[in-house]
Amino acid sequence: MAAAGLAARPAAAPRRDRPGPGPAVLELRQRPRWCRGAAALLPRLPRPAAAGAAARPLPPDGLEERHYSEQHSSLINKAYQTLLNPLSRGIYLLELHGMEPARETDCDADSVFLMEIMEINEKLAESKSDSILEEIDTLIKVKQEELTREVAAAFERDDLQEAKKLLAKMKYFANLKDKLKNKKIPS
């Protein structure tokens, strides 16, 4: 009789209290420990809505809990914004290794690179058509992706000086991207 009563009960549903870690987190966990820091330059992060679940660890029952949640939510948002951009991630990784952030003057010795930046700046200043602006935008994106890969490789080799120089170059392209955005926005 007892066996029949057990068979009639429905199977317990799996717990769905918490969502599992996202694919980017699982991918980082599967990599060797020595390359996890450098790998943070490349994986795509979840959208902010998914990150919001981590921002609510405590229910805001009282004033102390609300203050705690606000502080930690602010830290999580700042961390998310830092990790979202390859340039800020690279600078953060340099700081973790005790190096000061890259400056644009760190790549001043590379005259070929500086000439390339000057040419893009001139082309951007003189451009009037949307097709030229799109061409410049594509060029900047390609260069940023290339530099991101080179920075990740430098971190994987533990070549922090090379990573610092490449991050300085990335700053130039970030400035060009900002100028391009300002040029596209009608005054």
Side-chain angles (χ1 to χ4, degrees), residues 28-39:
L28 288 175
R29 286 183 186 160
Q30 293 170 354
R31 293 184 181 178
R33 185 172 184 87
W34 61 269
C35 71
R36 288 184 191 165

Side-chain angles (χ1 to χ4, degrees), residues 2 6 36 39 46 50 59 64 82 90 96 100-101 107 111 115 118 122 149 156 158 171 176-177 179 182:
L6 289 176
R36 288 184 191 165
E64 185 176 321
T82 298
L96 282 178
E100 63 183 62
C107 66
S111 60
M115 287 299 293
M118 283 177 42
E122 289 173 5
R149 285 191 299 273
E156 286 177 7
D158 283 331
K171 279 188 178 184
L176 285 172
K177 188 76 169 175
K179 288 180 184 179
N182 291 336

Side-chain angles (χ1 to χ4, degrees), residues 39 45 71 78 84 89 103 115-117 122 124 130 146 152 162 173-174:
L45 295 172
Q71 283 179 325
K78 183 178 177 184
L84 191 61
R89 279 195 305 260
R103 292 189 214 114
M115 287 299 293
E116 181 182 12
I117 294 296
E122 289 173 5
L124 185 59
D130 288 338
E146 180 183 313
E162 180 67 18
F173 282 104

Side-chain angles (χ1 to χ4, degrees), residues 152-166:
F155 275 113
E156 286 177 7
R157 293 187 312 263
D158 283 331
D159 188 354
L160 299 180
Q161 290 301 322
E162 180 67 18
K164 186 175 179 177
K165 288 178 187 175
L166 292 167

Side-chain angles (χ1 to χ4, degrees), residues 58-67 69:
L58 293 176
D61 292 337
L63 186 58
E64 185 176 321
E65 288 87 4
R66 182 171 294 155
H67 180 69
S69 288

